Amino acid sequence: MTTIRVDLDEDAIANLVHDPAVQADMKARMDRVVEIAQITAPVLTGAYMESIHRVEQPSSNGVVHVDASVDYAIYVEHGTTQRDRNGHAIHRPHFTLIHALDAAGGDHHA
């Protein structure tokens, strides 16, 4: 019987996200998310769609973010609780960024 012991270098694995090749891949993937989100975004004035972008610098833990920077983006994404006199939602959620991440094959936290 042969036993193989593998000791992981957890620090090296944790820092892999900062590797330039990994960062380039993540940026390319998030650029695809931006492209899909802009194509599928609801458009009234176009400001929401135009505000969707990849944040240039990754966070300190290496995460690459996509953001919609208009001040009402959260309401476009998640809707509001406003109802008309018949009880129907006035501003339904669109989940534009979440759907774009799914369509681009990404992973997300809802």
Side-chain angles (χ1 to χ4, degrees):
M1 178 169 141
T2 304
T3 303
I4 299 173
R5 179 184 164 130
V6 177
D7 291 321
L8 298 177
D9 184 346
E10 292 183 18
D11 290 334
I13 293 169
N15 288 324
L16 185 60
V17 73
H18 297 288
D19 181 87
V22 172
Q23 281 294 305
D25 179 64
M26 291 192 326
K27 287 177 181 179
R29 290 170 186 260
M30 292 304 103
D31 286 344
R32 179 70 177 137
V33 171
V34 168
E35 180 183 346
I36 293 168
Q38 287 178 336
I39 290 169
T40 60
V43 177
L44 183 60
T45 67
Y48 173 72
M49 177 190 68
E50 292 170 3
S51 80
I52 299 171
H53 65 283
R54 175 176 50 83
V55 176
E56 193 58 37
Q57 293 298 317
S59 63
S60 61
N61 63 355
V63 175
V64 178
H65 294 272
V66 171
D67 188 21
S69 56
V70 294
D71 59 352
Y72 54 86
I74 193 161
Y75 304 114
V76 175
E77 281 296 306
H78 299 286
T80 69
T81 58
Q82 291 179 320
R83 304 273 176 190
D84 65 15
R85 62 178 161 221
N86 297 317
H88 299 105
I90 295 173
H91 301 289
R92 296 178 158 259
H94 289 276
F95 304 118
T96 303
L97 297 177
I98 292 172
H99 290 161
L101 192 58
D102 286 342
D107 187 17
H108 62 85
H109 304 281

